[in-house]
Amino acid sequence: MADDAPRRDAALVALDWGTSAFRGWLLDGSGRVLDGVRSGDGSLRTSAGAGTAAERAAAFGRAFERLCGGWLAAHPGAPVLCAGMAGSDHGWAEAGYLDVPGPLDGLARHLTAVPARDAGGADVRLVPGLRVAGELPDVMRGEEVQLLGALEDGEDRPVAVVLPGTHAKWVRLDGAGVAGFATVMTGEVYDLLRRDSILARLARGEPGPVPSDAFVRGLDVDAEHGDERGVLALLFTARTLVMTGRLGPEDVADYVSGLLVGSEVRHGLRSLADGPVAVCGSGSTTPRYRLALERRGRTVRAVPEDVAARGLWRVAVDAGLVAGPSAPTPILEDQP
Amino acid sequence: MADDAPRRDAALVALDWGTSAFRGWLLDGSGRVLDGVRSGDGSLRTSAGAGTAAERAAAFGRAFERLCGGWLAAHPGAPVLCAGMAGSDHGWAEAGYLDVPGPLDGLARHLTAVPARDAGGADVRLVPGLRVAGELPDVMRGEEVQLLGALEDGEDRPVAVVLPGTHAKWVRLDGAGVAGFATVMTGEVYDLLRRDSILARLARGEPGPVPSDAFVRGLDVDAEHGDERGVLALLFTARTLVMTGRLGPEDVADYVSGLLVGSEVRHGLRSLADGPVAVCGSGSTTPRYRLALERRGRTVRAVPEDVAARGLWRVAVDAGLVAGPSAPTPILEDQP
């Protein structure tokens, strides 16, 4: 039927504007991707040199026009929805936070409009981040639309979504929405150790795209000894195993990665109900987390990292910015 | 009585020649310090540019003559006993390892002589390191004489000696000697985080000489949440507590130190029998470990970091290099 065919008019410009990267998608009225842009103009670079909030907002506006001006010229009036660090207090405008525990549909009810003067006249709304209060506060900004996108799926709802990265996020879900989340510095600690530690001086080569035996060995050492010894002690075994000829220098990075991911997963699962876990990572990261989780008896659902566009579309529908379908969209099929 | 008075003739040159520092002591026949030297000529700097083992040995010999030649000219024939990385396979000569579990008096029975041509004709012996075999091997080199020195004491024997540092050592003792030990990368991870992480960008100022309230807060957060969340997750709270105005930028370093030392001590005590713990650290480190251990109900005995000279004296006595007393010596009283 004609009504079911995708409408190819642009309906939404969706942006994931992070610290070090800018990603934009032009979506049609069914949420399908018509065009995409990716750039290193993250919020840090964009705001560099801007002294006041007004100068900063103007700088974001200029970058936006440069990166997406063509889309808006061709599709005047298309609304723009933006997640990520552009909504931080050092961004385009301050988009605040939504407190969790709470339902994710609250995101659509708490959008912040960017003043037209800072957006080249376009209708730009910012998505809030998520915030956990309490003794151990936590925040995310940008991952909340990946999270929404990961849940736009007909399969069993996972009990958690893991978003690996420099600062990995573990998001616990319940029936109503997000029960809580925690950030784990696995990626940053790994990078520091790889770049500048005594282990860096031992290691040769780069980790491969698929998890190696050395990665599995790191997982196993963590599983057997992590609770008793702790990750700060186990890390040193990368050195002593090399010294005693029982770990090759080319395996150091993967072994260390296994120790760190093993520790992260061991703790992350500790407070988690039974059920499947969704992992929303890049091509080389997801298989590592899948392996670590499956070795602990979890069913894993892999979700592509660029699911942010799907989450932004969901927010736009919920907010009434677009008259799109409320059912899951096939948005990722032809994403660039 | 005259026999009890210290003999002021030099009896031993004692060296602790580590990776980045050289320390030497001239000891009299009672083990008292007559003179001392301290230099940045560690094994790394000394061996730089030496291509072969022979060139390296000669380079160590030249550095030794430069740093201690005056003592040997004034006291010809005094034996020289050296611990630390000078005994590694990239050092002066390879001194091997003594396996643990095992008694510490084995150190004196496994000294390695440096060929006279590489020692300016002096009688130089190297102390072996300690080694743990098994699935999680470990090594120390230099700390074993600090350990011996820490035990040269009339008080109750501790159940463990902790040697904080870039790579902290936890040495478990039993009646016969060393039951085992483990190295913890607390200091190196702390330095990496302080220098180059997202936490480094938040932090202002340097940690003070005494443990602050922020350090105690880090200990408490680790004690309450460490087992469940893990240190890789708790570290990120340094950021979110600053973002939410609940931790001052000037307190970040001490809070992070508390999280890391808390994690180290929590795991270190896990496999330890009841009893006092000796801490052999520097002036600003020992109070932190003391606090962390005392909050977990341990009695702490602080031992000065430069107890290495006392341990070297013990090895020299046991090896028959000097005819000194076998009872504890008052060596540290007038150490420079």
Side-chain angles (χ1 to χ4, degrees), chain A residues 35-55:
Chain A
D35 199 4
V37 63
R38 188 191 275 260
S39 141
D41 294 284
S43 64
L44 265 186
R45 185 191 292 179
T46 302
S47 63
T52 66
E55 287 168 13

Side-chain angles (χ1 to χ4, degrees), chain A residues 134-135 137-138 167 183 185 188 195-198 225 227-230 232-233 236 240 243 246 267 270-271, chain B residues 134-135 137-138 167 183 185 188 195-198 225 227-230 232-233 236 240 246 267 270-271:
Chain A
E135 187 199 359
D138 215 322
H167 301 145
T183 303
M185 288 184 64
E188 180 154 12
R195 202 164 57 218
D196 207 19
S197 73
I198 193 173
H225 302 285
D227 274 336
E228 191 192 331
R229 298 209 178 201
L232 298 174
F236 195 71
T240 52
M243 284 177 70
R246 286 151 65 192
H267 288 99
R270 203 152 273 173
S271 57
Chain B
E135 188 199 0
D138 216 323
H167 301 147
T183 304
M185 288 184 64
E188 180 155 13
R195 203 164 56 218
D196 207 19
S197 73
I198 194 172
H225 302 284
D227 274 336
E228 190 192 332
R229 299 209 178 202
L232 298 173
F236 195 72
T240 52
R246 285 151 64 192
H267 289 100
R270 202 153 275 173
S271 57

Side-chain angles (χ1 to χ4, degrees), chain B residues 57-98:
Chain B
F60 275 84
R62 287 192 300 273
F64 169 65
E65 285 192 67
R66 179 165 45 80
L67 293 161
C68 301
W71 290 345
L72 288 164
H75 308 280
V80 181
L81 189 61
C82 175
M85 294 307 284
S88 77
D89 58 359
H90 280 74
W92 205 349
E94 200 167 344
Y97 291 98
L98 194 68

Side-chain angles (χ1 to χ4, degrees), chain A residues 254-297:
Chain A
D254 268 337
Y255 176 71
V256 167
S257 171
L259 291 176
L260 292 171
V261 172
S263 177
E264 177 187 332
V265 167
R266 176 164 48 89
H267 288 99
L269 290 179
R270 203 152 273 173
S271 57
L272 215 57
D274 287 339
V277 174
V279 176
C280 180
S282 68
S284 67
T285 305
T286 298
R288 292 168 206 266
Y289 278 74
R290 174 191 286 280
L291 199 56
L293 285 158
E294 287 179 346
R295 287 175 86 83
R296 292 188 167 268

Side-chain angles (χ1 to χ4, degrees), chain A residues 299-311:
Chain A
T299 304
V300 174
R301 184 191 310 163
V303 179
E305 197 180 21
D306 50 8
V307 76
R310 188 193 285 228

Side-chain angles (χ1 to χ4, degrees), chain A residues 109-122:
Chain A
R109 293 195 305 271
H110 292 86
L111 304 182
T112 298
V114 175
R117 68 171 181 279
D118 298 325

